[in-house]
Amino acid sequence: MPEETELYDLAELFKVFGDSTRIRILFVLFEAEVCVCDLARVLNMNQSAISHQLRILKQNKLVKSRREGKSIFYSLADEHVRTIIDQGRDHIEED
């Protein structure tokens, strides 16, 4: 059995995937690196709401950012994020 702290951290990570807005953001980021304004437009949401969700995703090391001039671009932190989502989709699609 893993240590209690590891179990807690794992539970916290999976909580992040419990929000459909964050999942939608991740699906957009599967395709391309984007800025908040583009995410807001694609998801038909305001930039403030998108920024809040990106902050949570970034704190949990699921997305990363880079600055280019005054713009900040977001992308997946690594391929593990895609793997987690893909495995989740495989699981819910099982008969």
Side-chain angles (χ1 to χ4, degrees), residues 15-51:
K15 282 182 188 178
V16 175
F17 291 102
D19 182 277
S20 62
T21 298
R22 290 192 286 267
I23 298 295
R24 292 171 65 214
I25 290 170
L26 292 174
F27 270 98
V28 173
L29 296 179
F30 285 169
E31 302 303 319
E33 178 184 65
V34 295
C35 64
V36 173
C37 59
D38 289 340
L39 275 168
R41 183 180 42 77
V42 168
L43 299 177
N44 196 30
M45 296 176 64
N46 66 52
Q47 290 187 23
S48 176
I50 295 292
S51 292

Side-chain angles (χ1 to χ4, degrees), residues 5 12 29 32 36 40 46 50 64 72-73 75-76 83 88 90 95:
T5 54
E12 290 299 307
L29 296 179
V36 173
N46 66 52
I50 295 292
K64 61 184 178 182
I72 299 176
F73 292 88
S75 60
L76 296 179
T83 301
D90 288 347
D95 290 327

Side-chain angles (χ1 to χ4, degrees), residues 30-92:
F30 285 169
E31 302 303 319
E33 178 184 65
V34 295
C35 64
V36 173
C37 59
D38 289 340
L39 275 168
R41 183 180 42 77
V42 168
L43 299 177
N44 196 30
M45 296 176 64
N46 66 52
Q47 290 187 23
S48 176
I50 295 292
S51 292
H52 172 73
Q53 298 303 334
L54 282 168
R55 188 169 28 263
I56 292 168
L57 290 167
K58 192 170 178 184
Q59 287 171 346
N60 285 277
K61 301 176 184 156
L62 298 172
V63 301
K64 61 184 178 182
S65 62
R66 72 172 180 85
R67 180 176 293 278
E68 188 175 297
K70 292 184 179 184
S71 299
I72 299 176
F73 292 88
Y74 293 87
S75 60
L76 296 179
D78 57 40
E79 280 301 308
H80 292 119
V81 180
R82 186 184 304 270
T83 301
I84 292 166
I85 297 294
D86 286 346
Q87 288 186 346
R89 291 180 78 195
D90 288 347
H91 182 74
I92 62 172

